[in-house]
Amino acid sequence: MKSVMISIKHYWVFLIIAKTMGWNISKEKTIEVRKTCPQDDEWNKVVKIYCTKDKKSFNFIPKEYQPFMEKFLGKVIGEFVCDRIDIIRKRGIDDNFDYCYLSLDEWGNDDIEPEITAVKNSCVLRDDLNDYGKNSRMLYGWHISNLKIYDEPKKLNKFGFSRPPQSWCYVEDIVYCKDCKHLMFSDCYAECEKAYKGIVAPYDYCNKGELK
């Protein structure tokens, strides 16, 4: 199975985790809007969050939370389950996303309720959404559920990456030798009892590992 890693700016990460952290913040971001979405049948619906090093975005975080949030810069900070993805299409005479900011009463029917709700829960401003999607016929609202924040932020190389994804990418789930049920000890060495590998170090891995 595959998971996904997604790059998210620091301020958006703040709005995603605020409720879980118990912070008294008026906004909560439960939708992440992207131009594309995963299509692979082997995707397990898990999305790992890489927090970018965007200092401009970081400066939008209230100052009292900045010391805590600073440790997330350039790290994989947690994961969520994306159990649903909404399609957000352009509509109207101007062929844009303005309608997503209307109330249902103003539009006159409820067939666009998913789009309006998704954009509201994304916390993205109207001009920013139109600018982001100006060259796209549709956008995708990734639902954020079952958020898990790691006890310690993780470096990208723990997931086999030397650089973050520009938007998102698939991640082959890795079972390191130290966590594998096939690990055994012989004298002062650690070895693979299935002989998939020989003598191993804690962070060695192969594509046949199984968690203990």
Side-chain angles (χ1 to χ4, degrees):
M1 297 296 287
K2 301 175 182 178
S3 57
V4 159
M5 184 176 293
I6 191 169
S7 293
I8 301 180
K9 291 183 178 181
H10 215 132
Y11 177 64
W12 295 135
V13 171
F14 168 71
L15 293 184
I16 288 170
I17 73 170
K19 184 176 180 180
T20 298
M21 295 300 301
W23 297 335
N24 185 23
I25 303 298
S26 60
K27 294 181 180 179
E28 181 187 8
K29 182 176 175 67
T30 59
I31 296 286
E32 177 64 21
V33 176
R34 293 291 156 130
K35 296 176 183 177
T36 57
C37 66
Q39 305 283 347
D40 197 312
D41 290 339
E42 292 193 6
W43 177 41
N44 61 8
K45 309 303 180 186
V46 173
V47 181
K48 294 173 170 52
I49 303 169
Y50 171 80
C51 181
T52 71
K53 297 179 180 180
D54 187 339
K55 285 287 189 178
K56 183 178 179 181
S57 175
F58 179 78
N59 290 333
F60 284 103
I61 298 171
K63 292 189 181 299
E64 62 265 36
Y65 300 106
Q66 288 184 4
F68 179 88
M69 293 295 299
E70 194 167 16
K71 69 180 181 180
F72 291 154
L73 285 167
K75 300 286 181 62
V76 182
I77 67 99
E79 60 189 54
F80 63 87
V81 174
C82 179
D83 55 3
R84 175 178 160 189
I85 296 178
D86 290 327
I87 297 175
I88 307 167
R89 294 181 174 85
K90 287 180 175 176
R91 293 181 185 244
I93 295 173
D94 294 327
D95 195 31
N96 59 21
F97 299 102
D98 281 356
Y99 75 95
C100 295
Y101 297 86
L102 298 172
S103 71
L104 293 178
D105 290 339
E106 288 174 298
W107 186 264
N109 60 60
D110 60 2
D111 67 331
I112 41 76
E113 187 274 334
E115 292 100 316
I116 290 178
T117 301
V119 170
K120 178 182 178 181
N121 291 335
S122 75
C123 301
V124 179
L125 298 176
R126 182 197 308 244
D127 289 346
D128 292 338
L129 187 70
N130 278 318
D131 184 61
Y132 178 68
K134 62 185 176 183
N135 295 321
S136 302
R137 292 306 309 158
M138 63 184 68
L139 299 173
Y140 298 90
W142 300 28
H143 283 243
I144 299 169
S145 64
N146 300 105
L147 177 66
K148 174 186 175 183
I149 303 170
Y150 299 149
D151 292 335
E152 291 294 333
K154 303 177 188 294
K155 293 182 179 180
L156 278 171
N157 60 13
K158 296 294 185 184
F159 301 92
F161 290 93
S162 59
R163 64 181 64 182
Q166 184 174 359
S167 179
W168 64 270
C169 66
Y170 290 109
V171 180
E172 293 288 349
D173 288 339
I174 295 173
V175 176
Y176 292 107
C177 291
K178 68 182 183 67
D179 301 317
C180 183
K181 71 179 186 180
H182 303 310
L183 180 69
M184 68 176 187
F185 293 93
S186 175
D187 296 325
C188 58
Y189 299 105
E191 300 180 72
C192 175
E193 69 175 2
K194 293 289 188 181
Y196 297 143
K197 298 178 74 71
I199 295 172
V200 297
Y203 286 98
D204 286 343
Y205 63 89
C206 69
N207 61 5
K208 296 180 181 179
E210 297 179 74
L211 283 173
K212 295 177 183 177

